[in-house]
Amino acid sequence: MIVKYKSDGMWNYIDNVGQAKESGLYFPDFLINQYEKAVIQGDTEDISGKEFGEEIQKVNKAWMQACNIVDASGSQMEYGANTENLITEECVKNNTPIGIVLIKCRGGYGYSKVLVTSQDVYLMNDEGKTIERLV
C-alpha cells in the first residue's frame, strides 16, 4: 500500500506500507493548553522555540503535545521515532483539527513513521487508487 500526504502544498508518498491508521483528531487549542499545563506543572520543559515567534511556537506546542499523546499510548515504541510535523500556522490560527497518522512500513522497526498533520492524508492501494482518507 501507499500513503499519500500533503506537505507544504506538495504531494508526498510513502511506499511499502503494511499498515496505516488514524490515531485521533485533536483541536490545536486543546493540544496547546495541555502542553502549557504540563510546563506549568513542571512535567516538561518549554522547548517550543520562543525565538521563532508566537505562531511558530503554537505550532510547535501542538506538535509536541501530539507526540506526547503518541508516546503515552505506547504507539511510539511500535511505530518508531520518526515523527513528521505537518501542522500549518493557518491550522493553528483557525483551530482546524490535527490528525495523528501511524504508518507501519514493511521492513521492521525504524521504517515506520508518525505524521502529525492538518493536511490531507490518503491510504492507497499499489495501483494508486484511494482506499480511504485518513485525515
Side-chain angles (χ1 to χ4, degrees):
M1 292 185 289
I2 301 165
V3 170
K4 173 182 171 182
Y5 66 99
K6 270 196 176 172
S7 174
D8 295 326
M10 295 174 46
W11 288 108
N12 293 275
Y13 299 87
I14 301 171
D15 199 0
N16 204 24
V17 173
Q19 179 186 19
K21 64 181 181 178
E22 181 261 318
S23 180
L25 288 173
Y26 301 90
F27 287 98
D29 287 350
F30 170 78
L31 293 171
I32 292 165
N33 288 337
Q34 291 298 308
Y35 182 84
E36 289 173 347
K37 278 183 192 175
V39 169
I40 290 168
Q41 293 172 348
D43 296 335
T44 190
E45 184 181 339
D46 188 0
I47 55 170
S48 59
K50 294 176 185 174
E51 66 275 12
F52 297 118
E54 186 177 346
E55 293 306 315
I56 296 294
Q57 191 176 4
K58 285 181 179 180
V59 167
N60 289 342
K61 286 178 180 181
W63 174 66
M64 287 186 284
Q65 185 59 30
C67 291
N68 290 340
I69 289 169
V70 172
D71 286 345
S73 73
S75 297
Q76 193 76 4
M77 294 299 292
E78 183 179 352
Y79 287 87
N82 188 356
T83 305
E84 190 166 349
N85 181 359
L86 301 171
I87 302 170
T88 64
E89 289 180 42
E90 183 179 326
C91 157
V92 172
K93 276 185 202 172
N94 297 331
N95 203 31
T96 304
I98 294 168
I100 299 172
V101 179
L102 305 174
I103 302 166
K104 188 182 287 186
C105 296
R106 294 181 188 101
Y109 185 82
Y111 291 96
S112 299
K113 181 171 255 197
V114 177
L115 300 177
V116 180
T117 184
S118 57
Q119 303 176 58
D120 298 339
V121 180
Y122 297 94
L123 180 62
M124 303 165 64
N125 64 19
D126 290 331
E127 289 78 41
K129 294 184 180 177
T130 301
I131 296 171
E132 76 178 287
R133 181 176 179 171
L134 298 170
V135 175

